Structure formats: structure tokens, C-alpha cells
Amino acid sequence: MISGTRLKSILGLRSETAGLLIPAIYAEAEQSSPALAAWREVFSPLNMISERIPRRESAWADSHGISSDRLQPDLFLFSLQTYYAAVLKCLVSRVAKSSSAAVFHSLFDWPTISLKRIASVLVDETDFSPLSEHEDSLRPLYESLFCREFRHRLGEYYTPDWLVEHVLDQIDFTAQPGFRLLDPACGSGAFLIAAICRLKKPRLKSLSAPDITNRIVGIDVNPLAVIAAKTNYLLHVADLAGDKEAIDPPVIWGDSILGRFADSSSPSVPALQEPFDFVVGNPPWIAWDNLQTEYREATKPLWEKYGLFSLSGTDARHGGGKKDLSMLMTYVAADRYLRSGGRLGFVVTQTSLQSKGAGDGFRRFQLGEKGESLQILRADDFVETKPFPGTTNWTAAIFLRKGAETRYPIPYFRWKTSESCDVEECLASPIDSNRKTSPWRASAVGSSIVSLGPSDYDAHLGANSGGANAVYWLEFLEMTAAGARVRNVTAKSKREIPQVEAVIEPDLLYPLLQWGDVARFSAVSRRYILLTQDCFRRVGVELRTLMTKYPLTYSFLERFREQLESRSAFRRFQSRQPFYSMYNVGAYTLAAHKIIWRRMDKEITAAVASAIETPWGIRPVVPQETCAFVACDSSAEAHYLCATLNAKSTNRIAQDHQVRGGKGFGSPNVLHSLGIRRFDADSSTHRRLVDLSELEHANSAENSSSESVLSEIDELVESLRKTRR
């Protein structure tokens, strides 16, 4: 078979052929409204139509006569996909004995311009021996046509070969006679290819194409992915077919979650009626909020059936509702496609195992109230490995057997690299032994670090503007007779918000602590936040009060009314409140003393933040929502907590219980497992921790740190923990 590198060279985006044909396809697409409409009907519900074109593709299109003023994102994507599908059609005709109709889809069979050039380029190639190794030769071509930014925006990620092999190893898929395997979200067929190669590896002379096509099946909702998977399938079994034997690769276009298949007459669809021995794959990672409304409504009964909706509306609004489609596919696949006693191996989000709230229903591991149980056999943590470069996803893999109960602790493996020899062996159990759906804690085998239960303190999130930081975050310029002259900070804004200077009353202006302002034993405010929330009633300041008491502030906010009212969270949850309302603001927000740490970090880095002097008086410091904090009664209490949270043993427990670097790491619920007792001024250990924290804050102010101080903190905190066990 022609190598992937060579295929990219002769037909990729930079090739002469692509330079001639893609602009021609684009020009015809501009005039072919029926074909484009049919394409949109398929891809719009999948959220796969991008609103803009990456710079690389835009520059390429411009160099080939598609000017920026006529370059439309959907048309360009349609043209690229049509060209790619045409290449696959010609490739199958050139290599496989079966007709290219076995893989092609009419959705891309619309151009009237001649595409014979593709076939002629392939005819000139001589290296077309069938594939005999584990190789997706289409990947380089696809990555050439669709750059990483494009692919990631459409939710497309290639599963690396080593991870595919690991999943198949852990479900024990080899060349067992008669066993059947399904990938319900197969993409271009990575798992299918690897499974085929395992069946072919013994090199049995009696092995035929039907021996594979009857056993290895794929499904995907994206018709272009189905074409690619079918092509890959054919390229790997073509050498097993007889001279006149046509192969119809069993890759089905349809929605495996809803059980809807576009071509119900396909000979492969009946194969889904019989349960499979193995189900594998990398299901789509799409948050519930990012699903189209129609799809949320269509799948909602399934979420409810499997108990994946486990939160109140309030909890869901405040972050616990961040469920992922991979959770639902895991349950549907185990229920609908896996036989009792069969095994499933899925690549999933790490947060499904260690996030509070959203993952609770997932960790029931039972198919509905009366359905079969799911036994989790092991889990793998790939957070440090980062299998998908260029993304911020936290990756894990789970392996389960249908028909048995999950028993804790579960073997849990933390991978440092993609080499299996560089793995930390751990054991995972629910944090709350009385509630099996609670997040997992994972501790190294032999570790003495355990959950100490809830702390005596409650933590909170910082103030949340609901996506309008560029309005509420301000730089202070000077004090005038009328008030404080400020300028809004727009440097990192994702929204189009103009920068303005204005004079406002300073009464609602407080020092702001951003994520980058907080470090271990150091918190330095550099900007201000306009806090327009009534902290005691937890609603926006009454409009009449704002207009009469703070008219300059009202006038400033009125400039941004349109942007503030368009905030998605405001439209969904606060539409009846003043247009400047905010989130996560309560009486605790204005506490004079706080202990603050950064969320979404790899470790807890805490600092004390007490009220500071401003040009208009002493004001408490307000952290942003990417930080968590505890309101304290005194500076001493804050320093005691700061020393405790910065101790090594505290960090080990936090890292065992939450996804390091994940969105949930360092969230307020981290205190639920740290067992921190209330500050006792009569305790000599507590008082010493206060002294050490104050000393380290002074050291940090001078850009220094004392190892002896940090070591003593670790020893004292560990001694307190030992008294708790």
C-alpha cells in the first residue's frame, strides 16, 4: 500500500492536484445549493460546521484564487471534505477488488467537474501492496487537508496507536475464535484497524475476509468518518479477498446512542442485533451545555434512564451539571451492545471519575434502577501523559465487565509517559465510603495518605462576572474630585467590549486578586473589580439605588448594557435581575481576612489576603472565580489555614482526590477530604503554624523562601493528621 507520507505528498493540501481541484470544487459548490443544503442538514446537528476558517487554510485559499471576500467557512469545509472523499473513492478503486461504492457516500458525489486527475495520479504510483501492519495511511492526508485548529474545533482527535493497543490489551482482545468487537464511535477506524491486525497476526491460511467482517464492526455519526473507516477497513482486508469477492466493510453510518441508522437496509445493521463480546473506543467528549438543544431533548430520556442526572437545578447551574456525552455513550454501549459478561474499554474524561456532582450518576455503575451492574476492572490516568497534544483534556481509560458489581478498591494506574514501564500503581475508592457515587480518591499502593473526611470550614468560589471581566475588571488611574478615574481591562477579553475611561464612585470598587496574583504564601492585587452585587441579598444592587446613589457607576455600566445582557448565564438564570448582576458573591466575599488558593492548578498554592489600603479607604480583597477561598474571622486563623493547605501532606491528599490541573482541582469541595480542624488559639501547634505562615509571607515579599520553615510546617501538619487517624 502507498505510504501515508507519499499519499499526503501527491494529494495533500500543498499538492498540485489539490491546488487545481479544491478551488474548482469550491466554485461549483457556490452554485450547487441542493448539494450544500443536504450537507448542512447532516452536519449542522453535529455542531461540525465552523464559523471561521483557520489562518493557514485562508492563506492557502487566497493563493489559489479564492479571495477572502468570497471565502465562506461552510463552503470551504464542504469543498475540502468532498475532495477528501473523492481521493478515498479513487484509492479504493485502485487498491481494493471491491467497488468503491462500498465506501462512498452520495452526500459527496455531487460535483460535475472531472475528478479523473486524482485517479491518474494514483495510477502512476506502483507501491500498492496490501497493508499488513497496523497503519492508518489516511491520517497524514487528512491532517494535511484539515489543520489541527480545524479538527479540534470540530471535536476530532486521533487516538494514538499506543493507547489503542493498551485498550485492546486490557479487555484481552486477541485472536479468540468467534468473539465479536464493536466500536460505537469509530472515527477513521483506529480501533478497527488494530483489531483486524490482531486477527491477522497468527497468519492463518484459512483466514478469509468474512472471518473479519463478521466479527469487527464500527459505527459513526459523521458520514465522512464512515467513508474513512470503510476505506481503512478495506485496505487492511483486501489481501484476504478472493479474485471476485466484493467486501462491504461493516462500518455503519448512524447514531449509536439514539440507535438511529441512516441506512437501515445496510447488511451490517442486523449485526447490531446480536450483543458483542467486546466494545471499545474513544467516545465523543462533548459537554451537555455544548450539545444542540434538539439533541439534548432527544437524549434526555436516556440520561434519566441511566441515572446520569443526579443534581438539583441549583447545583447544576453552579458547575455540577458539566456532564459529558462520553458518560452517556458508556452506559448506552454497555446496555445496548455488550453481552452479559462482555468487556468494555473506553477512553473517557478523567473528571468522570474524580469530579464532584457531574460524575456522581456515572459512578453508580448500574444500568438504571433495575438493570445489570457494571464492574469496573481497572482505570488508567493519562493526565500527565497528555495523549492528545494541543488540548487541555484530562484523559483516562476505564475497563468494565457487564453483569457484576464494582468492588473497591479498584486498580488505578497513573501514567507518567506513554511507556507502560513508567506507571505508578495505585488503588482507588470513593471518598465517602458510605456513598459509592462520591468522587474517587486514588493513592499509591502502600501509601498511608487517606481521606480524613470533611473539614470544619466551607470554601467558596471567587466573584464571577459571567463572562464580562472586560467590564468589571478595572485599572485605577487617579482620584478626582468626582470619584475614581478607571479604565476597563480588555486585553484578554474573548468578547468585543470597547475600552473606555470613566470616573465612577469608588464605593463599589474593591482590590481584585486574579489567578496569576496568587502564589504560595503570596497574594498581590494589581487591579480592581467593580462589585455590583448586593452581598447580603445575593442579587444585583437594586437599580433605583444604583441610579440615585451611584449615578456615575450606573452611567459606566449602561455603556455595556448590550454586552452584559447577552451573557449566556445571565440570559438563562438572571434575566429578571438587573443587567449588571454577577455570580458567586455573598457576605463571605467581603470578609476582611481570607485564605485563597488557585483552582485548576497541579497543587494547592495558598496565601493569606487581608484587607488593604486603597485611595478611598481600607477595602477587603475580592478573588476572581478561578480562585477558591475561605472567609476567616482573624488574620491568625487565615495564617493557620494557609500553612495547613500548603503542607506537602495536604497536597498529596488533594492530588489523590481530584484531577491535577483539571477544572475541578482545588475547587471548594477539596476541603471535604482534608479533615482540617477549626483554629484553636490555645493550641501551641496551631499558634506555631501561624508564626511560620507569617514568616513565609514575609520571605515571599522579599522573593526568598526558607526550606527549614517549610519542613517544619510539613512536620507540624503531619503531626496534626496523625492525631486525627
Side-chain angles (χ1 to χ4, degrees):
M1 170 58 195
I2 186 172
S3 71
T5 303
R6 179 60 182 163
L7 194 61
K8 170 186 172 182
S9 174
I10 62 176
L11 291 169
L13 191 65
R14 301 300 175 184
S15 69
E16 182 181 354
T17 301
L20 289 172
L21 292 183
I22 295 175
I25 293 173
Y26 184 88
E28 186 172 349
E30 289 181 298
Q31 309 301 322
S32 182
S33 55
L36 182 62
W39 177 82
R40 282 175 174 155
E41 187 176 350
V42 171
F43 281 89
S44 291
L46 305 180
N47 278 343
M48 290 185 178
I49 298 181
S50 177
E51 296 180 356
R52 65 185 180 88
I53 297 175
R55 185 178 303 172
R56 188 197 76 167
E57 271 77 0
S58 180
W60 179 90
D62 187 66
S63 68
H64 286 81
I66 308 177
S67 59
S68 57
D69 60 342
R70 61 180 273 249
L71 187 59
Q72 301 178 47
D74 56 349
L75 273 177
F76 190 63
L77 178 60
F78 182 38
S79 302
L80 286 178
Q81 290 185 345
T82 299
Y83 172 78
Y84 178 64
V87 171
L88 300 192
K89 181 179 182 180
C90 294
L91 185 62
V92 169
S93 297
R94 174 73 173 83
V95 179
K97 299 178 179 67
S98 53
S99 167
S100 60
V103 303
F104 206 61
H105 194 282
S106 59
L107 194 65
F108 302 103
D109 195 18
W110 58 271
T112 60
I113 62 171
S114 175
L115 300 177
K116 291 181 179 180
R117 180 184 176 92
I118 297 173
S120 66
V121 169
L122 291 173
V123 167
D124 292 339
E125 296 296 317
T126 57
D127 182 17
F128 271 95
S129 57
L131 285 172
S132 59
E133 56 182 298
H134 181 177
E135 177 190 354
D136 181 355
S137 60
L138 306 181
R139 181 179 300 188
L141 172 65
Y142 188 82
E143 291 178 341
S144 166
L145 295 172
F146 307 91
C147 72
R148 186 170 68 180
E149 182 185 353
F150 222 145
R151 299 194 310 272
H152 288 187
R153 199 186 308 142
L154 302 180
E156 298 175 350
Y157 302 92
Y158 275 112
T159 309
D161 293 343
W162 65 266
L163 182 50
V164 171
E165 294 293 343
H166 176 70
V167 170
L168 293 177
D169 285 343
Q170 296 309 314
I171 63 169
D172 197 26
F173 180 81
T174 55
Q176 306 102 319
F179 285 169
R180 301 169 66 242
L181 175 143
L182 170 72
D183 183 347
C186 66
S188 63
F191 285 92
L192 305 182
I193 296 171
I196 290 171
C197 290
R198 291 192 176 211
L199 294 185
K200 294 174 65 176
K201 196 169 185 178
R203 301 189 183 281
L204 300 175
K205 292 183 179 180
S206 60
L207 188 67
S208 65
D211 291 332
I212 292 178
T213 58
N214 290 336
R215 296 176 58 183
I216 299 177
V217 181
I219 306 172
D220 203 276
V221 71
N222 181 349
L224 192 69
V226 170
I227 294 173
K230 284 191 171 189
T231 301
N232 268 320
Y233 203 118
L234 271 174
L235 297 180
H236 282 79
V237 300
D239 59 319
L240 300 178
D243 291 339
K244 297 182 179 181
E245 183 180 4
I247 302 173
D248 185 5
V251 182
I252 304 163
W253 177 30
D255 188 322
S256 59
I257 292 178
L258 293 174
R260 298 174 182 173
F261 304 104
D263 185 7
S264 58
S265 63
S266 168
S268 302
V269 172
L272 301 178
Q273 303 304 315
E274 291 293 326
F276 289 81
D277 305 281
F278 302 102
V279 175
V280 296
N282 181 3
W285 297 7
I286 306 174
W288 165 265
D289 287 347
N290 293 335
L291 295 172
Q292 288 216 343
T293 302
E294 295 79 2
Y295 199 75
R296 285 203 298 263
E297 290 302 315
T299 59
K300 189 175 181 180
L302 291 171
W303 293 90
E304 294 172 340
K305 172 184 176 180
Y306 296 118
L308 297 174
F309 282 152
S310 56
L311 301 176
S312 67
T314 300
D315 290 337
R317 284 199 303 272
H318 288 87
K322 298 298 183 182
K323 301 184 184 302
D324 192 276
L325 193 62
S326 64
M327 297 180 182
L328 179 60
M329 182 169 280
T330 301
Y331 272 70
V332 171
D335 188 19
R336 185 178 297 158
Y337 304 112
L338 189 64
R339 70 167 175 82
S340 184
R343 296 191 176 200
L344 177 147
F346 268 3
V347 180
V348 297
T349 60
Q350 174 65 19
T351 52
S352 65
L353 305 178
Q354 288 187 289
S355 65
K356 183 178 183 294
D360 286 7
F362 180 77
R363 292 185 294 269
R364 293 175 69 250
F365 301 129
Q366 184 177 0
L367 299 172
E369 290 296 326
K370 299 180 180 180
E372 289 189 83
S373 297
L374 303 175
Q375 180 188 12
I376 303 299
L377 302 173
R378 73 175 267 165
D380 291 78
D381 179 336
F382 300 111
V383 171
E384 292 188 32
T385 308
K386 300 185 184 303
F388 305 102
T391 73
T392 55
N393 292 325
W394 292 271
T395 308
I398 58 168
F399 304 93
L400 61 83
R401 179 190 292 116
K402 182 178 179 180
E405 290 188 9
T406 294
R407 298 186 181 279
Y408 297 99
I410 291 167
Y412 187 97
F413 299 86
R414 285 200 181 111
W415 291 58
K416 307 299 183 183
T417 68
S418 59
E419 300 294 328
S420 58
C421 60
D422 193 10
V423 176
E424 180 185 23
E425 186 175 353
C426 304
L427 294 173
S429 300
I431 292 175
D432 184 349
S433 59
N434 296 317
R435 189 170 63 86
K436 291 186 176 181
T437 63
S438 65
W440 287 1
R441 63 166 181 262
S443 304
V445 173
S447 171
S448 61
I449 299 298
V450 296
S451 171
L452 296 177
S455 302
D456 291 340
Y457 292 93
D458 291 323
H460 306 277
L461 291 174
N464 189 340
S465 70
N469 290 340
V471 173
Y472 295 99
W473 291 9
L474 305 172
E475 293 178 343
F476 170 70
L477 302 177
E478 63 175 345
M479 282 299 295
T480 70
R485 181 176 297 279
V486 296
R487 177 172 55 221
N488 59 318
V489 179
T490 62
K492 295 184 179 180
S493 175
K494 296 180 180 179
R495 302 163 62 89
E496 293 185 4
I497 295 179
Q499 187 173 66
V500 300
E501 288 187 15
V503 174
I504 64 174
E505 297 85 1
D507 303 63
L508 305 180
L509 206 54
Y510 295 88
L512 169 69
L513 275 177
Q514 298 173 244
W515 192 90
D517 296 335
V518 180
R520 184 168 282 115
F521 297 109
S522 175
V524 180
S525 172
R526 295 176 174 83
R527 288 169 173 161
Y528 290 85
I529 184 171
L530 183 60
L531 207 62
T532 57
Q533 201 78 346
D534 186 322
C535 296
F536 297 97
R537 295 174 55 238
R538 303 199 66 174
V539 296
V541 174
E542 188 178 21
L543 181 60
R544 183 179 301 176
T545 300
L546 193 70
M547 295 176 68
T548 57
K549 193 173 182 179
Y550 312 114
L552 297 177
T553 300
Y554 172 76
S555 177
F556 171 79
L557 292 170
E558 183 64 36
R559 299 189 191 189
F560 306 101
R561 177 187 283 267
E562 181 180 351
Q563 292 93 339
L564 294 176
E565 289 183 336
S566 68
R567 292 174 293 168
S568 58
F570 177 82
R571 293 199 310 269
R572 292 178 64 185
F573 307 123
Q574 296 178 315
S575 58
R576 297 184 180 181
Q577 294 188 22
F579 67 90
Y580 43 79
S581 296
M582 304 171 75
Y583 263 113
N584 302 340
V585 178
Y588 46 79
T589 305
L590 298 184
H593 305 285
K594 301 179 181 73
I595 170 65
I596 298 176
W597 63 92
R598 308 194 307 195
R599 296 170 49 224
M600 299 177 288
D601 210 345
K602 292 185 177 180
E603 58 182 356
I604 294 179
T605 54
V608 173
S610 294
I612 61 175
E613 184 72 39
T614 71
W616 47 91
I618 296 177
R619 285 287 191 273
V621 175
V622 175
Q624 72 166 120
E625 80 284 352
T626 54
C627 297
F629 70 95
V630 175
C632 300
D633 294 332
S634 66
S635 173
E637 183 176 43
H639 279 287
Y640 154 74
L641 281 173
C642 186
T644 303
L645 286 169
N646 282 328
K648 289 182 180 179
S649 59
T650 301
N651 265 288
R652 286 199 297 271
I653 297 175
Q655 291 167 348
D656 283 343
H657 288 68
Q658 295 187 326
V659 183
R660 293 155 291 158
K663 292 183 178 180
F665 185 83
S667 58
N669 63 57
V670 70
L671 295 185
H672 294 175
S673 59
L674 298 180
I676 300 175
R677 298 282 70 89
R678 183 74 58 181
F679 173 62
D680 182 0
D682 294 328
S683 166
S684 59
T685 303
H686 287 202
R687 292 198 306 272
R688 181 56 181 165
L689 287 172
V690 172
D691 294 339
L692 294 172
S693 174
E694 291 176 341
L695 181 58
E696 270 304 286
H697 276 80
N699 289 337
S700 295
E702 298 176 359
N703 294 318
S704 65
S705 183
S706 171
E707 286 298 325
S708 62
V709 171
L710 298 177
S711 295
E712 186 177 354
I713 287 174
D714 292 337
E715 292 174 2
L716 292 175
V717 172
E718 183 60 20
S719 70
L720 290 175
R721 296 198 188 286
K722 288 180 179 178
T723 63
R724 286 278 297 143
R725 294 175 187 163

